[in-house]
């Protein structure tokens, strides 16, 4: 080292190099921190989504068990009420016959005047002529009401997990096609039905239940497109990574995020009383969940909705 | 303006005029200040005042000093951030990456940097037009930076500046012609 080098300048150069290095370190760390922050934000969002999905699943599961329990409780009394109703119908008919006969006999000569007036007075006092007319309607309405209750109860019962023994190995396309046949007259003329069905493997499932899901989804699609000009329902199927995908897509009214959030809740409906029960999607959810599957909904309000059923393929052991 | 820009200016003055000159300038302009940390922001006028003082000392015109500073700034920034030079294969793709990659990354590193915006057009393969917009009106600095980048890539260029904020326009058009 020669003496004419300024020692402060040398130290300054060293210090500067050290500072540059420190800044470099800081920048590297800042960049890492930034990237980690982005990742953290992403996982946070994912977590929140999963949390709300889980909460919904739990709520639905609780609702399902609860409804199935209530349905079971109501079903027993309902069974005897329904069977009593049938007897009551028959008993009523007997009384009506008796009344008819009495009314006929009053008109004939074979009965004494005193007895005649006794019977006429009784018929009048008790308003039996009116009762005779009204009772048919009462019984009919009551029976209709009870049958509606039975339908709702049966719907609710489908929430309870099905036994594996109810399941058979079958091809879902068979069920889908027969459901479409069932809906033929409903759909014909009003919607353009476009099918693109790729072959599916057989899977262990409850075909009746899954047909009900198809029916509910297609009916919803049909109802959603009622005010659409060129109403179209596209149904497609494919198979990938051991999963069956069945997609039902309509170009109907679509739904808001608010509706989408509540769609699986029993009795949730946006339709008028006579059109919607709000049970279709709730039932579909229960059935698909019983099959370890998922229903994925995508919808843009005003331009349509897509419902995708995803079912894992389950094969019976050889 | 970020401290890193001041640091590079100090570096340039020291290299060309010596440490004493930089000290003099600071003593004269900012008797209390002159301490710059890369990631901190300092008032734009401080930089402009320092550059003015450099011009007065060196008796060089402003354009010359700012232009040279741009060239020098490029080599310094490139040395501090070699990653940005890794993937662009030639000068044109490097220049096109400034707005969408480099300055985007700069935003991640520093809090609220004041960066210009660039729009690009290529009327023919040998001509790149960079439309520069910034309230700081540092188009001459941009020219210098581009010359620095051209030297780094060993590419000869001809830069013209037909539309300029300093001549009443809302932006500057920098025409970069790539010479064989
Ligand atoms: C390795 C490449 C580069 C890096 C890391 C980089 C980084 C930066 C940084 C940190 C600033 C200061 C921001 C502030 O003060 O808040 C800046 C400003 C600026 N950069 Fe870049 N830059 C690079 C290349 C370029 C090139 C090649 C150009 C050429 C056009 C350019 C044009 C500018 C201009 C003109 C400014 C001044 C601010 C303004 O005009 O508003 N930069 N850059
Ligand atoms: N394809 C669809 N397009 C738009 N909205 C739909 C569709 N399917 C279902 N929905 C919405 O979800 C609600 C619940 O459906 P669902 O459970 O089948 O009951 P319902 O059809 O009896 O109303 C519907 O009232 C409707 O608002
Ligand atoms: Mg429905
Ligand atoms: Zn200009």
């Amino acid at each position: 080292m020669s003496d004419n080098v300024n020692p402060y300048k040398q130290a300054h150069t060293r210090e500067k190099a050290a500072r540059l290095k420190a800044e470099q370190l800081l920048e590297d760390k800042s960049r890492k921190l930034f990237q980690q922050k982005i990742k953290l934000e992403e996982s946070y969002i994912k977590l929140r989504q999963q949390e709300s999905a889980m909460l919904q699943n739990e709520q639905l599961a609780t609702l399902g068990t609860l409804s199935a329990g209530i349905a079971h409780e109501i079903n027993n009394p309902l069974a005897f009420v329904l069977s009593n109703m049938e007897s009551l119908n028959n008993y009523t008919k007997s009384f009506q016959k008796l009344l008819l006969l009495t009314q006929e006999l009053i008109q004939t000569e074979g009965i004494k005047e005193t007895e005649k007036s006794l019977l006429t007075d009784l018929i009048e006092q008790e308003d039996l002529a009116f009762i005779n007319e009204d009772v048919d309607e009462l019984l009919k309405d009551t029976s209709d009401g009870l049958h509606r209750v039975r339908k709702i109860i049966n719907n609710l019962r489908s929430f309870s997990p099905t036994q594996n023994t109810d399941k058979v190995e079958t091809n879902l396309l068979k069920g889908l096609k027969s459901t479409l046949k069932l809906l033929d007259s409903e759909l014909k003329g009003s919607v353009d039905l476009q099918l693109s069905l790729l072959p599916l493997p057989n899977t262990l499932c409850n075909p009746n239940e899954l047909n009900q899901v198809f029916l509910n989804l297609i009916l919803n699609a049909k109802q959603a497109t009622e005010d659409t000009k060129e109403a179209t329902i596209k149904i497609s199927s494919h198979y990938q990574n051991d999963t069956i995908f069945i997609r039902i897509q309509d170009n109907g009214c679509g739904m808001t995020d608010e509706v989408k959030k509540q769609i699986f809740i029993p009795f949730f409906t946006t339709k008028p009383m006579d059109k919607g029960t709000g049970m279709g999607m709730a039932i579909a959810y229960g059935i698909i969940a019983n099959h370890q599957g998922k229903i994925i909904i995508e919808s843009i309000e005003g331009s349509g909705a897509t419902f995708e059923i995803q079912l894992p393929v389950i094969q019976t052991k050889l | 303006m970020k401290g890193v820009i001041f640091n590079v200016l100090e570096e340039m003055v020291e290299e060309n005029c010596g440490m004493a000159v930089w000290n003099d300038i600071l003593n004269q302009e900012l008797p209390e200040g002159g301490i710059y940390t890369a990631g901190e922001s300092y008032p734009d006028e401080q930089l402009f005042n320092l550059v003015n003082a450099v011009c007065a000392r060196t008796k060089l015109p402003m354009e010359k000093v700012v232009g040279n500073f741009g060239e020098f700034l490029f080599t310094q920034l490139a040395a501090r951030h070699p990653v940005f030079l890794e993937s662009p294969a030639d000068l044109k793709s490097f220049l096109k990456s400034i707005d969408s990659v480099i300055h985007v990354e700069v935003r991640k590193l520093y809090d609220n940097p004041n960066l210009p915006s660039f729009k690009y057009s290529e009327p023919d393969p040998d001509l790149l037009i960079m439309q520069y917009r910034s309230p700081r009106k540092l188009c001459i600095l941009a020219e210098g930076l581009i010359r620095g980048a051209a030297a780094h890539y060993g590419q000869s260029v001809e830069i013209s500046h037909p539309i300029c904020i300093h001549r009443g326009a809302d932006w500057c058009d920098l025409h970069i012609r790539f010479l064989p």
Side-chain angles (χ1 to χ4, degrees), chain A residues 42-103:
Chain A
E42 280 168 2
S43 23
Y44 177 71
I45 291 169
K46 229 192 241 155
L47 212 66
R48 286 299 297 265
Q49 284 167 347
Q50 280 169 354
E51 191 186 47
S52 78
M54 226 160 75
L55 198 71
Q56 208 199 12
N57 283 353
E58 249 167 59
Q59 283 172 343
L60 286 170
T62 320
L63 264 173
T65 332
L66 197 71
S67 335
I70 295 173
H72 182 77
E73 289 305 313
I74 294 178
N75 201 47
N76 290 335
L78 186 65
F80 69 70
V81 171
L82 270 165
S83 112
N84 289 358
M85 266 304 292
E86 215 160 295
S87 313
L88 206 59
N89 250 324
N90 294 334
Y91 295 171
T92 310
K93 287 210 176 74
S94 311
F95 279 104
Q96 284 174 319
K97 274 185 198 152
L98 177 64
L99 181 64
L100 200 67
L101 185 64
T102 316
Q103 282 168 328

Side-chain angles (χ1 to χ4, degrees), chain B residues 23-41:
Chain B
N23 285 341
D24 279 355
I25 291 176
L26 285 186
N27 288 337
Q28 175 198 319
E29 294 295 324
L30 303 150
E32 304 293 314
I35 301 160
Y36 299 107
T37 305
E40 275 285 308
S41 290

Side-chain angles (χ1 to χ4, degrees), chain B residues 121-147:
Chain B
S121 58
E122 287 176 82
D124 72 66
D126 292 330
L127 179 64
L128 177 70
I129 301 179
M130 292 172 73
Q131 193 185 87
Y132 168 88
R133 279 174 200 267
S134 164
R136 285 162 296 284
K137 306 185 181 179
L138 287 168
C139 51
I140 304 299
L141 184 73
E143 270 193 45
L145 281 160
I146 294 166
R147 275 199 306 278

Side-chain angles (χ1 to χ4, degrees), chain B residues 1-2 98 102-103 106 113-116 118 132 134 136 145:
Chain B
M1 198 65 68
K2 290 292 172 194
I98 296 171
I102 299 178
H103 283 173
V106 170
N114 288 319
L115 291 164
F118 288 104
Y132 168 88
S134 164
R136 285 162 296 284
L145 281 160

Side-chain angles (χ1 to χ4, degrees), chain A residues 267-314:
Chain A
F267 302 112
F268 171 79
T269 180
T270 58
K271 296 172 191 169
M273 261 300 249
D274 55 327
K275 279 232 171 118
T277 59
M279 287 299 292
M281 291 303 299
I283 290 167
Y285 178 89
I287 292 170
I288 296 300
N290 282 340
H291 286 79
Q292 282 86 50
K294 285 195 266 201
I295 302 179
I296 311 240
I297 306 170
E298 266 169 46
S299 175
I300 298 172
E301 197 189 355
S303 56
T306 304
F307 291 76
E308 183 178 84
I309 304 169
Q310 299 181 1
L311 288 168
V313 173
I314 300 166

